[in-house]
Amino acid sequence: MSMQTLEKETIAEAVMELRVRHVKWEADGVHSLTFVHPEGKDLPAWTPGAHLEIELPSGLVRQYSLCGNPNDSCRYKVAVLRDPAGRGGSAEIHDTALTGRMLKVRGPRNRFELAYASNYVFIAGGIGITPILAMVQELRDRKPWHLFYGGRTLDSMAFRDELTMLGEKNVTLVPQDTAGILDLDEAFSRVDDSTAIYCCGPEGLLSAVLAKAEALGVADQVHFERFGAAPKPLVTDAPAEVSAGTFEVTLERTGTTIQVAPEESVLEAIRKVRPDMPSSCEEGFCGTCETRVLFGEIEHRDQILSKAEREANESMFPCVSRAKCPKIVLDL
Ligand code: FES
């Protein structure tokens, strides 16, 4: 097992009860929550791009990117956009009096790390600014960077003051109602071989950025984070008869072996013996159900793992992924 795996595992298992210190209006439809330790202790360190999993009073589990200062070990800050078409998590946060409440928080985890590069282009849409705010705060004057930040209206775009303080010349604000959509030609005109491109925002923006990067031959320089499932199902290379059939899953620490039927997910099968198994999106994009694989080949159907991580076969997301062989063993 690599060091990286060990670290990931430790971080993933850190669950804390933290107090919501305050809730603040940040922009139209955007509230931020600041968490502190109830006894004033330091919180685990995090790096830009990291997110927290927060268990809401209703039991819903949601992930939100950390957008505060990574050097401030006393508090965590996340920002939440009310999504009327969402699955209820953002509405609960906006509609519940959370100040002073204790909430279960897992993490921080980071699947959107700031990679080393000579210079950076950031492209953020709407609430996608949250992980990117922490990234540009980290870079400040240390490396050349430019942020293209689009939103519906100026008033809906959170953290404009913080961004302006980081350097007005580095930030292009594009409110759609007065300036139209983000100009990707302009954004990509700043990209050379040594540029890392970071994108976070709605699916339409992400698809447009990926298509542009593909056309220009710089797709491998793009780092992105999804809020939701990709529009098309991912293509898998598993033989149909294996992914469609029944297979066996041994839960090593629980000491149980279960059968997974063709019509059920591995997560559903696991819950028959481990009802506490955490999940959130159940569509393979949030990372909540990540589980270490001890044996067996996995047909990865998530939208999180890189090609190298799939080949390493060290972890899987049982809400969507299945076995490529008759038996797998999981670290559960
Ligand atoms: S619950 Fe979101 S990836 Fe499995």
Side-chain angles (χ1 to χ4, degrees), residues 63 267 271 278-290 302-304 316-320:
Q63 297 74 36
L267 178 67
R271 284 220 169 112
S279 73
S280 177
C281 72
E282 303 196 1
E283 292 184 72
F285 65 81
C286 77
T288 304
C289 67
E290 183 169 14
D302 64 87
Q303 295 159 36
I304 300 169
M316 74 173 293
F317 298 88
C319 62
V320 288

